[in-house]
Amino acid sequence: MQDKALANPKIEVAWNSVVERINDTEKGVVTGMVLRDVRTGATREVPVDGVFVAIGHTPNTSLFAGQLDLDAGGYIVTRDGTRTSVPGVFACGDVQDHTYRQAITAAGSGCMAALDAERFLEMSSGTIPH
């Protein structure tokens, strides 16, 4: 993926940079953005008409280490839908989905986890163990 992006003449990689501002969002459009070089502090304006922010591929699951089964990539292991290694705990979306990892998948599997939790509560004493 990195090689394809670097070879694409339509893509400019802004190494060591963070987005300081996206211009004209209050007008409902994007006309540019201001980038800041984290090494030098220098800023520059880049004309763009859209922005896509990628958050990476590492699931934010470190707080569950030692409490739920995680795979080698750090994803929560689920069985039979959204069930985790702890009864009454369900996982969905980016923390357990290796393939899609995005919002629509999270929304769909969030619904799955809610239904699994509802069934769990119906079948149990109505209390969730701590």
Side-chain angles (χ1 to χ4, degrees):
M1 199 185 281
Q2 178 181 352
D3 291 338
K4 284 176 73 174
L6 292 172
N8 189 326
K10 297 179 183 177
I11 297 175
E12 175 193 342
V13 177
W15 299 108
N16 303 306
S17 298
V18 295
V19 176
E20 286 288 309
R21 183 179 71 242
I22 299 174
N23 299 337
D24 296 322
T25 57
E26 71 282 352
K27 297 177 186 174
V29 297
V30 173
T31 60
M33 64 182 167
V34 175
L35 297 179
R36 179 177 50 84
D37 185 306
V38 296
R39 294 168 303 162
T40 66
T43 60
R44 67 183 176 110
E45 189 153 339
V46 180
V48 296
D49 58 10
V51 177
F52 177 80
V53 179
I55 59 171
H57 294 289
T58 304
N60 191 11
T61 57
S62 59
L63 70 152
F64 301 113
Q67 299 178 70
L68 299 175
D69 288 348
L70 304 178
D71 67 14
Y75 289 88
I76 297 173
V77 175
T78 54
R79 298 165 190 86
D80 301 321
T82 62
R83 298 176 193 276
T84 68
S85 56
V86 176
V89 177
F90 305 92
C92 61
D94 296 5
V95 298
Q96 59 80 238
D97 177 14
H98 291 262
T99 306
Y100 301 104
R101 295 181 275 213
Q102 298 299 321
I104 196 65
T105 302
S109 64
C111 179
M112 291 169 56
L115 292 170
D116 286 343
E118 180 182 38
R119 288 185 195 109
F120 175 82
L121 291 173
E122 287 174 358
M123 296 175 66
S124 70
S125 63
T127 59
I128 297 176
H130 291 50

